[in-house]
Amino acid sequence: MLALRALNILLQGSFEAGGDMIKDNAEIYRVVSKLLCSKNSTIQQTAAESVALMSSDKKMCYNLAGQNFNLLKTLYKAPEVDDAVKLRALVGMSKMCASSGGDVNRNIIAEGAGVRIFKQIRQLLVKNPTEEARKWVIEALAYLTIDAEVKHDLVNDEEQMKIICDFSSDPSPSTSYSLSCIFMNTTNSYDQPEVQPEMQRIAEYAKQSVPKAHELDSEESLKTRISLLVANGVPSVLSACSSSDSERTREYLARSYFGIISNDEGKHCGAVVQQGGTRALLNLFGENTAEGKKYAAHSIAKIAIKMNPALAFSGQRAMDACRPCISLIESTNENTSWYTTV
């Protein structure tokens, strides 16, 4: 068990290093499964935490899901098991549910499991709203919100949204990353594959999986969801997390901003500016991935079109906003981005 604790610490500090140690080591998976069946609460918690951490990797998640999903489910349902163990078990189950990447045709867990886990996590959080519990819940939601039904239920749950938004007042690096994932997922700002009708027919004929979107991810559903996110103060959360040092987190924040600003013909630009969006976007443009810079610059350009620049970019910020717009003209081949920037 001490070796497993050391592995957990390594996975939390440097996931790549811990992942290289595990790789395809079937013995580690066997030991974890065995420890999950222990009657000792400390051992159960360590093993459940190992599954929750290892499931962040898609390949490890597939290796763990077969037998361990049912073991984690048993742990959660056992009345004598501590809440700390149950919470970690639910986080592991959340990541397994999200392994399909939102494609309902590739679910390795029964459809609807994500929504049930979301409701169970909510019950545990309401029962024991400690900082540690909220940290694990936000990590679980970073994966569960790939599911369209979970997105719908989350944004309509004012109490849960308040807990999430309040947690951003002093975010840690891991919390900022989880929050950025939640809002990138709920605004549908992630890369989505474009499936040509001809290729779809060929794939169906060859009996290959074709990405299939959920009805709750439709344009109308997304419009309603983003309105609820803005009403719950999500632009303020994005602004609070924008000081993160992680480029991946910063990219996801820029994507989330773009998802909000570009939705419903720029209806929410005013709310974004009011809640510190222009300063945050200029900051996100400064240090980011290439994709993150593109989304931040495009968001700034859209705000400048929709609002009076003297109000949206007061003082020196008006000059600062020129650089992202010029970079967008130089770096993009997309007609929409060109038109918006010019």
Side-chain angles (χ1 to χ4, degrees):
M1 190 189 76
L2 292 176
L4 205 56
R5 279 185 177 177
L7 183 60
N8 289 350
I9 293 169
L10 192 57
L11 288 169
Q12 291 179 73
S14 174
F15 189 87
E16 291 77 10
D20 287 342
M21 289 179 62
I22 299 168
K23 288 186 177 178
D24 298 320
N25 192 331
E27 183 63 20
I28 291 179
Y29 298 127
R30 188 188 66 78
V31 169
V32 170
S33 299
K34 184 177 179 180
L35 293 178
L36 282 173
C37 300
S38 171
K39 299 298 181 183
N40 183 291
S41 178
T42 304
I43 294 175
Q44 288 175 340
Q45 181 171 326
T46 303
E49 188 167 322
S50 295
V51 175
L53 293 170
M54 286 191 284
S55 295
S56 298
D57 179 86
K58 191 171 184 178
K59 186 176 181 181
M60 282 192 267
C61 185
Y62 272 97
N63 290 335
L64 287 163
Q67 180 182 0
N68 290 291
F69 186 85
N70 289 328
L71 291 175
L72 293 174
K73 192 175 179 181
T74 302
L75 273 180
Y76 172 75
K77 290 187 173 181
E80 70 277 5
V81 172
D82 292 345
D83 285 349
V85 178
K86 291 183 177 183
L87 191 54
R88 286 160 176 76
L90 287 170
V91 173
M93 293 162 69
S94 302
K95 294 179 180 181
M96 292 174 189
C97 287
S99 59
S100 64
D103 179 2
V104 298
N105 291 328
R106 298 184 63 186
N107 285 341
I108 61 175
I109 307 299
E111 187 176 353
V115 178
R116 291 193 293 273
I117 292 171
F118 168 72
K119 291 177 180 177
Q120 290 162 355
I121 282 177
R122 188 189 186 284
Q123 289 175 4
L124 280 180
L125 183 60
V126 171
K127 180 181 175 183
N128 184 28
T130 62
E131 185 170 340
E132 184 186 20
R134 287 192 294 173
K135 179 182 78 71
W136 282 105
V137 166
I138 288 173
E139 183 171 349
L141 289 174
Y143 290 84
L144 282 177
T145 45
I146 291 175
D147 187 302
E149 291 181 69
V150 175
K151 298 178 199 178
H152 175 79
D153 289 350
L154 175 62
V155 298
N156 283 282
D157 188 337
E158 289 187 17
E159 186 178 3
Q160 186 89 320
M161 285 299 300
K162 187 177 185 306
I163 291 172
I164 292 172
C165 293
D166 288 348
F167 200 58
S168 68
S169 57
D170 186 22
S172 65
S174 62
T175 303
S176 294
Y177 177 76
S178 296
L179 288 168
S180 70
C181 288
I182 290 170
F183 298 126
M184 181 181 68
N185 291 336
T186 50
T187 57
N188 284 15
S189 303
Y190 44 81
D191 290 329
Q192 301 182 52
E194 293 184 15
V195 182
Q196 301 296 330
E198 297 83 2
M199 296 303 295
Q200 184 170 351
R201 287 195 290 270
I202 291 171
E204 289 173 353
Y205 178 78
K207 296 182 179 179
Q208 296 296 313
S209 174
V210 180
K212 182 180 176 184
H214 196 283
E215 59 184 10
L216 287 175
D217 271 335
S218 66
E219 191 173 331
E220 281 302 312
S221 296
L222 178 61
K223 191 181 295 186
T224 303
R225 194 159 67 228
I226 287 179
S227 294
L228 288 169
L229 287 170
V230 173
N232 280 296
V234 166
S236 294
V237 179
L238 299 178
S239 179
C241 295
S242 64
S243 58
S244 171
D245 294 329
S246 165
E247 283 198 340
R248 186 60 60 193
T249 299
R250 295 172 71 84
E251 178 188 327
Y252 291 171
L253 292 171
R255 284 174 177 268
S256 301
Y257 267 123
F258 181 74
I260 293 171
I261 290 167
S262 62
N263 186 260
D264 204 2
E265 300 180 355
K267 173 184 174 182
H268 306 295
C269 285
V272 169
V273 171
Q274 188 180 21
Q275 297 178 46
T278 50
R279 180 186 298 174
L281 283 166
L282 289 169
N283 178 24
L284 290 171
F285 176 79
E287 292 183 22
N288 215 317
T289 63
E291 283 292 294
K293 284 178 178 285
K294 183 184 79 172
Y295 281 107
H298 203 166
S299 299
I300 290 167
K302 281 184 173 290
I303 288 174
I305 286 177
K306 194 67 179 176
M307 298 185 64
N308 182 349
L311 298 176
F313 305 99
S314 59
Q316 184 64 29
R317 286 195 202 125
M319 295 298 295
D320 294 338
C322 293
R323 189 162 59 94
C325 294
I326 292 170
S327 76
L328 195 60
I329 293 175
E330 293 173 345
S331 65
T332 185
N333 295 319
E334 297 175 13
N335 292 334
T336 306
S337 299
W338 260 81
Y339 172 77
T340 303
T341 309
V342 172

